[in-house]
Amino acid sequence: MRYDARSIRGNAFKYLKNISFFDNYLNLKVMRLLLLLFFTSTLIGQGKNEVPETFSIDKNGIVIWQKIYEYNLDHPKLVKKLEDYFLNTEFTRGLSMENSKFVGYSNELKVKPIKGGPHYNPITAFVEVEVKDKRYRVTIKDIKLKEMTTGVNTGMFSVSQAVSFNFSEIVLNGRKTDFKKGFVKINYLKSHDEAFDTIFTLKQVPQTTSDW
């Protein structure tokens, strides 16, 4: 079978055209896949960088942590349960009952600045716990971070002092109208959220029933 130059060029053009169409089809598929992966990773990243809903900012630019817990005891029994628990927990030992709620400044609580990190920073705060039938609401504010700093070291002796930092100044922007962005600051908030939640979560009383 003989082919002239014109037929060879024509067949080659059709072949290249088919390849080009196939490549464009593949490129379109790849582009769609990349866009899907981009938007998925963006959404996941945003979810990880969200401020815990337990934190809010009051009108004075102060950070407040608040959470409502449910517990299967009526008001008098729940108050007694919380009173015993607070007395036996270092962080809440300074709370007292005033106007039907627990209030007071806490003792120090060591919190990791970053979840999973090796270091701890001690914090103190003002705590308020309101109690109703089968639930209680915890509000934490005036959170202060204490960090030990060395002032003088002569070789023979050293003098150090505890310097306090306001929690709001660390996690809020300059205008104190919003939380600072970024993984480190969000992780910092989540670490404190987890620490507070651990402190104020009571183990549930087992339910009893006569039905079998």
Side-chain angles (χ1 to χ4, degrees):
M1 182 178 293
R2 298 179 60 187
Y3 295 94
D4 56 23
R6 181 177 296 178
S7 63
I8 292 175
R9 285 196 300 271
N11 291 332
F13 177 76
K14 290 180 180 179
Y15 176 73
L16 291 174
K17 187 177 181 180
N18 289 334
I19 292 178
S20 178
F21 172 78
F22 185 67
D23 286 345
N24 289 336
Y25 178 77
L26 283 180
N27 289 336
L28 183 60
K29 286 289 187 181
V30 171
M31 184 62 69
R32 287 178 177 175
L33 178 60
L34 290 175
L35 287 173
L36 178 62
L37 291 174
F38 172 77
F39 286 117
T40 301
S41 61
T42 300
L43 290 173
I44 293 175
Q46 289 177 347
K48 290 182 178 179
N49 286 328
E50 288 181 354
V51 174
E53 61 182 10
T54 49
F55 282 107
S56 62
I57 308 170
D58 70 7
K59 62 181 180 180
N60 297 316
I62 302 299
V63 174
I64 295 175
W65 184 90
Q66 188 175 79
K67 187 170 183 178
I68 298 174
Y69 295 87
E70 294 184 353
Y71 202 82
N72 54 333
L73 286 177
D74 59 21
H75 182 269
K77 292 181 180 179
L78 183 52
V79 168
K80 178 59 177 174
K81 176 74 175 180
L82 288 169
E83 184 177 28
D84 292 341
Y85 176 75
F86 292 157
L87 286 174
N88 289 284
T89 302
E90 180 62 27
F91 182 67
T92 56
R93 193 167 293 165
L95 302 186
S96 60
M97 178 65 77
E98 295 181 12
N99 299 322
S100 301
K101 58 186 177 183
F102 295 96
V103 295
Y105 279 92
S106 72
N107 292 322
E108 288 187 359
L109 174 68
K110 292 183 177 180
V111 182
K112 290 185 177 182
I114 297 180
K115 289 181 64 177
H119 303 294
Y120 292 87
N121 283 333
I123 66 166
T124 59
F126 181 81
V127 180
E128 178 182 276
V129 183
E130 302 165 273
V131 188
K132 291 185 176 182
D133 281 343
K134 298 184 178 181
R135 56 181 173 166
Y136 57 100
R137 183 173 68 179
V138 180
T139 303
I140 299 177
K141 52 189 175 182
D142 194 20
I143 307 170
K144 288 191 168 47
L145 167 69
K146 291 187 176 181
E147 186 172 308
M148 295 301 296
T149 58
T150 301
V152 179
N153 190 342
T154 65
M156 297 180 63
F157 65 90
S158 63
V159 178
S160 62
Q161 61 180 0
V163 180
S164 296
F165 298 92
N166 193 301
F167 186 81
S168 299
E169 295 176 355
I170 297 174
V171 299
L172 296 183
N173 60 18
R175 295 183 178 180
K176 296 184 179 181
T177 57
D178 196 6
F179 291 95
K180 292 179 180 178
K181 309 301 180 183
F183 171 79
V184 174
K185 294 302 180 184
I186 299 300
N187 195 284
Y188 187 82
L189 288 170
K190 288 183 177 180
S191 180
H192 287 75
D193 176 55
E194 185 177 284
F196 293 150
D197 187 48
T198 299
I199 287 289
F200 290 99
T201 300
L202 298 178
K203 292 182 179 180
Q204 288 289 339
V205 177
Q207 296 279 7
T208 59
T209 178
S210 58
D211 297 331
W212 179 251

